[in-house]
Structure formats: structure tokens, C-alpha cells
Amino acid sequence: MSLVEVTDLTVEFGSLRAVDGLSFRLDEGAALGLVGESGSGKSTVASALLGLHRGTGARVTGSVRVAGTDVRQASDDDLRRLRGGRAAMVFQDPLSSLDPYYAIGDQIAEVYRVHTRASRRAARARAVEVLDRVGIPDAARRSRSRPHEFSGGMRQRALIAMALACEPDLLIADEPTTALDVTVQAQILDLLHTLREETGMGLILVTHDVGVAAESVDEVLVMRHGKAVEHGPVATVLGEPREEYTRELLGAVPRVDAPRAVRSAASDEVVVEAVGLRREFGRGKRKSAAVDGVSLTVRRGETLGIVGESGSGKTTLGRMLVGLLEPTAGEVRHGGSARRGVDPAVQMVFQDPVSSLNPRRSVGESIADPLRARGESDERRIRGRVRELLERVGLDGAQYDRYPHEFSGGQRQRVGIARALAAKPRVIVCDEPVSALDVTTQAQVVALLAELQRELGLALVFIAHDLAVVRQVSDRVAVMRRGRIVEYGWTDEVYESPRDPYTRQLLAAVPALDPAVAAERRTARRELTAA
């Protein structure tokens, strides 16, 4: 029996057609992955399944039936009963989906009471029950915690618990693991798989990560420009794709088992060196070391990858290398000399260009800041140099006066790279520069960095939790855990013959494109957890 039936769905926002004549169905207990680049329309489809476009001004045509409800024709009361009752949604960013002022357990209990009219005590007990079910330790106590007291992975588990409170027939997960490191991502995907087995619920997984789809679903629907490009069993679509676009999408996916084809032209000249770096946060008994005794070198023209889970100290280390944080102990040396404070020769590209670009200033003005900081005052020369930099990173020089919100995510990241280049650096520290991008845009940004490195002789420090990307870009790699480097060496040696158990654990958590391999890894993780 069909749990979801979508026929000729079209969604338009003004003149933009985000979804164009899409049709598919999902049987009870089955799992479908909606896969595509940013802007392909997959999240718009997910929202249409719950009627979330109602009242937004969007024009929706076609037929959408979910759990027996005609979504387009349903009354507002019927839609409220559907949402959270028969069908539930888990969003990408749990912080924006959870109320920061209320305890996690209270928020789950409220959802349960709205749909079941249960007593406060019963709703509270149900909240603890589902938190325990999704693997929150000491669920009764942690249910009284607020969202900021949970880690990213725990917040995502809490959202899944909220979705499960009313035992829905369908769970819609919109990019549920995008911001998570590989081990937490594997835990969330394993959890979704286990919940499907135990409850028989259907799953629609929206993702730009083809590997995540291979881990989690029975069928894949590949989308592009709002249309279905290819649809079929996950093993067939990923193993023997018929369409050229699907092959291009798969070709852009970085592989953790593939060595880097071309190495950087590194020299023996050390441009940045960390010596015994330690950085503490907090005071008294609450004091902790985010980075503890780290030493490493970066040579001209090479790429050093730094990997590890969230909280391992990667970003703190990167900020000390740039001079944005002062070490508690140890020192950073630039060109052999100890350096404190920010040095224009070492620049940073941040994870989120939206947060690092001033929304009230044009991108050209943001790129011009390092030029003015160096003492350049001729506005004509500044404008000309910014145009050159925009064109150098693949943008139009005439876009000087445009604002950040007018650019896509990949374009904003190119703006961030242009701003870093304006200071004529010898080293660029890239902190998760592609983690929020789809695979094709990710590949374009990585290729741009490699091209700039070859032409300018730059050294790159590439910080990421995506081990596959790090393997493709890095000459050497440092694996961090709890503020320390647990493994350090040539990239291919570390990936092919890891010495430290933690490195092996990270590599085992990387999603596999082969569903059979993904199933084997999932079984191995279950056995390890049970042991």
C-alpha cells in the first residue's frame, strides 16, 4: 500500500519553478532518497509533502497524498493532525528547530500532548521514553536540559525523538547529517535504520551526499532543476547509472579509498610551525584544554590536512596558526620566527561565508578590507585589484557592488577565498571550507584552491571532518582527538595503514557508495557497540 503518492507536482515561487512536474510513490516501510545539488528542488518537495508552502505565496499544483491525506485539499485542522502525527519532519539545523528557552523534554511532551491530549505526566513520561529510544544517555535527567547543553549529534537525536513521539507512519529527514562529523553521522544513520526496522515507518531522506543515501535508503530519486533525472533501486542507480548527470554527480564524490592523483609541489621551506601549542578555556575547576601539546610544520606549496570529530580542537588550532587566538603555552613560528597576533601572510577561509561576510556591505568592500589595512588608499586601484581577485576566483569582476545574499553558497565561499588572497598570503588556513556545499560545488571549490596553490606557491592547512575530501587534497595529514594529534604522516600512509585505533574508527564511519559495503559496516558497528 502506498504511504506517499506524488503526481505531477509543481511548485513555483513567482517566476521561479522550483519543482517541475515531479511524480513518485513510497510504499509503507520503504525508504526513498531525494538526491541532488543545492537548488535542485529536493527540500521544496519535502516541504510540499506536509503542506508547508500553504500561506507562503508559493503556487503548488499537482497531487500530493501522504498517509491517506490529500495534502493540497486538506483543511488546516487535517494538516495539523498530519504533521507530527502521521508524518513528521527532521530538519538540517536542530538549533533553529528547537526553542532555546525550554527544556528538551518539555518540547517533546508538548508535541505529544497536542496530538494525543495526554496528561502532563503521561506526556513527560513519553518524552523520556523516546529520548531513551534514540540513545540519549540518562534520558530522565537530560530531558531537563536545554538545547545549548546538548552536542550537535545529541540535538539531532532529540529532534528525531520529537518526531517519533506520536509514532508516525512517515519520517521526512531533510539533510539530517550535513553539519555532523563522520562518526556522529554514522550513529544518526544507524539510528534511522534501526528505527525503521523496529517501527516499520517509511523514510524520505533529503540529501546532497550520495554516500549518505547509499547508507540509508532502498531507492534513489536524482533531481536536477526541479525534475527527476533518474529513479530506481539504490544499488542500480549508484552502481550502473543511466543518465550522464547522475554519472557526473557520482564522479564529483570524493573517495576515501582513492589516493590523490597529483601531489603539491612542496619545498623544504617551513612557512608555519606550531611548537608545543596549548590553549585552555574556562577558569578554575572548569578549565579545559582544547588543544594540548600540538607540534607540526607546514611547508611552502604543500597541503596539510587536519581531521577529527567536532570538539577535537581542529578549529582552535587553526585560529592559533592564524593569530586569532593566543596560545596558553607554546608558540607559533612564521618563517622561523615566533609570532604573536595576526600576520597578513597567514589568512583564513571560514566554514560559513554568510557569517564571515558583512551582510550590509558589498562583497567588493569586504574583499577590499585587507588592501586598505595594508595602507592602499587609491580607490581606483583598490577597485581594480578587487575586480582582478573576483575574476581570479571565477566570479564576474562587475559583481563588486553586489551583496552576500545575492550569491549562492559556493559563490560566497569564492568571495571568502578572494578576500584571503587580497593580503597576498603565503599560507591559507581553510576551516571546513566545503562542509556545507553539495558535491559538485565542493569539487569546484577544491579545484580552485589547488589551482591557486600551484600558481601562487601557497601552503594550505585544510581543516575538515570529511575524511574523503581531506585525502583528495592533502599531502600530509594530522588526526586530532581531544586536543592532541594521535596520528601524523603522509596522507596515503595514514589512510591505507592507520596505526591508531581512533583513525581506524574514523575511516570505518565514512559512508560507502556501495549499499552492500554500507550494510556490512553497519553490522560491524552494531557488533562493536554491543560488545
Side-chain angles (χ1 to χ4, degrees):
M1 181 178 175
S2 292
L3 178 62
V4 177
E5 290 185 59
V6 174
T7 306
D8 199 24
L9 173 65
T10 296
V11 182
E12 295 175 326
F13 301 94
S15 61
L16 173 65
R17 181 166 289 188
V19 180
D20 189 1
L22 188 71
S23 299
F24 66 89
R25 58 180 287 173
L26 178 74
D27 291 334
E28 293 181 351
L32 170 69
L34 298 181
V35 177
E37 299 171 281
S38 298
S40 62
K42 53 190 189 298
S43 290
T44 303
V45 173
S47 295
L49 294 177
L50 295 180
L52 297 178
H53 297 306
R54 182 171 294 187
T56 66
R59 182 171 178 267
V60 181
T61 60
S63 173
V64 178
R65 295 188 67 86
V66 176
T69 298
D70 185 332
V71 175
R72 288 198 56 234
Q73 302 301 323
S75 66
D76 289 345
D77 286 341
D78 287 340
L79 277 184
R80 279 191 289 269
R81 282 189 287 270
L82 173 67
R83 299 168 184 163
R86 301 295 303 281
M89 195 163 183
V90 175
F91 295 92
Q92 175 178 347
D93 181 11
L95 267 183
S96 62
S97 304
L98 294 167
D99 192 313
Y101 293 104
Y102 291 93
I104 293 285
D106 291 342
Q107 296 184 55
I108 297 173
E110 182 64 21
V111 170
Y112 187 67
R113 290 190 71 209
V114 165
H115 287 280
T116 66
R117 306 296 182 185
S119 67
R120 290 184 182 276
R121 178 175 292 183
R124 179 75 191 176
R126 178 61 176 164
V128 173
E129 179 185 348
V130 291
L131 284 171
D132 181 67
R133 189 175 193 177
V134 299
I136 298 293
D138 195 6
R141 181 178 65 85
R142 296 311 302 269
S143 69
R144 295 188 288 273
S145 300
R146 288 172 173 77
H148 73 274
E149 299 177 274
F150 275 26
S151 67
M154 288 176 67
R155 284 194 291 263
Q156 200 60 284
R157 286 175 183 265
L159 270 191
I160 295 172
M162 185 180 293
L164 291 175
C166 298
E167 299 184 347
D169 300 311
L170 172 67
L171 181 65
I172 304 167
D174 188 3
E175 300 279 11
T177 62
T178 297
L180 305 178
D181 57 60
V182 287
T183 51
V184 179
Q185 174 180 266
Q187 293 166 11
I188 296 298
L189 295 178
D190 289 350
L191 171 62
L192 291 174
H193 186 83
T194 300
L195 291 171
R196 281 185 57 216
E197 288 183 334
E198 293 177 352
T199 67
M201 70 178 181
L203 173 67
I204 291 182
L205 178 68
V206 176
T207 181
H208 66 252
D209 191 325
V210 183
V212 167
E215 290 264 348
S216 312
V217 299
D218 310 313
E219 293 190 355
V220 170
L221 192 159
V222 180
M223 293 187 65
R224 187 185 193 192
H225 303 323
K227 296 183 178 182
V229 174
E230 192 160 351
H231 184 192
V234 61
T236 302
V237 172
L238 301 188
E240 301 173 1
R242 299 187 312 272
E243 302 297 326
E244 179 61 27
Y245 175 70
T246 309
R247 290 193 288 271
E248 291 175 0
L249 199 62
L250 288 167
V253 177
R255 308 294 179 100
V256 75
D257 55 354
R260 186 180 183 187
V262 179
R263 291 293 164 200
S264 304
S267 73
D268 293 330
E269 179 188 355
V270 175
V271 288
V272 172
E273 183 178 9
V275 182
L277 284 187
R278 180 179 175 88
R279 173 67 193 202
E280 297 174 350
F281 291 97
R283 295 180 178 180
K285 293 182 178 179
R286 295 191 175 185
K287 184 186 296 183
S288 63
V291 173
D292 187 9
V294 167
S295 297
L296 51 78
T297 58
V298 184
R299 298 180 176 86
R300 180 168 63 85
E302 81 161 341
T303 300
L304 172 66
I306 301 178
V307 299
E309 296 174 286
S310 299
S312 62
K314 310 185 299 295
T315 293
T316 300
L317 174 59
R319 288 173 180 265
M320 284 194 286
L321 294 178
V322 175
L324 295 176
L325 284 176
E326 292 291 340
T328 305
E331 63 182 20
V332 176
R333 299 172 183 168
H334 295 178
S337 302
R339 182 82 187 191
R340 302 187 78 85
V342 176
D343 186 337
V346 184
Q347 292 292 307
M348 196 164 200
V349 174
F350 297 90
Q351 174 178 353
D352 182 7
V354 174
S355 298
S356 57
L357 293 171
N358 189 329
R360 294 181 175 85
R361 302 181 72 213
S362 71
V363 297
E365 287 300 296
S366 290
I367 296 170
D369 284 342
L371 300 175
R372 295 191 175 104
R374 278 210 324 260
E376 181 65 64
S377 58
D378 187 325
E379 289 300 317
R380 181 176 295 180
R381 291 181 59 181
I382 289 173
R383 200 172 185 93
R385 176 59 177 153
V386 171
R387 282 174 172 267
E388 291 175 7
L389 289 167
L390 283 168
E391 291 168 2
R392 185 63 201 82
V393 297
L395 297 173
D396 186 345
Q399 295 175 320
Y400 183 107
D401 294 312
R402 292 177 63 182
Y403 288 83
H405 72 271
E406 299 179 80
F407 292 83
S408 68
Q411 290 174 324
R412 284 193 291 261
Q413 200 57 286
R414 289 172 184 265
V415 171
I417 294 170
R419 183 174 59 182
L421 291 175
K424 295 185 177 180
R426 304 182 72 197
V427 184
I428 296 181
V429 177
C430 304
D431 186 11
E432 299 278 10
V434 297
S435 65
L437 306 178
D438 58 59
V439 289
T440 49
T441 307
Q442 188 180 86
Q444 293 165 7
V445 172
V446 166
L448 171 62
L449 287 169
E451 181 183 336
L452 293 170
Q453 183 179 47
R454 287 192 300 271
E455 290 187 5
L456 304 176
L458 295 169
L460 297 177
V461 178
F462 199 94
I463 299 170
H465 64 252
D466 189 328
L467 277 77
V469 172
V470 169
R471 178 159 197 182
Q472 297 308 305
V473 304
S474 304
D475 301 293
R476 292 181 298 134
V477 64
V479 182
M480 290 191 69
R481 186 187 191 195
R482 296 174 182 170
R484 295 177 176 270
I485 291 178
V486 297
E487 194 147 358
Y488 185 37
W490 296 108
T491 302
D492 289 346
E493 293 177 5
V494 171
Y495 276 68
E496 291 169 12
S497 303
R499 299 185 306 274
D500 193 88
Y502 177 69
T503 309
R504 294 195 289 271
Q505 178 186 338
L506 287 179
L507 291 169
V510 176
L513 286 177
D514 185 337
V517 174
E520 291 175 2
R521 290 184 176 180
R522 184 166 51 244
T523 300
R525 289 195 294 266
R526 280 182 177 177
E527 292 174 350
L528 184 62
T529 301

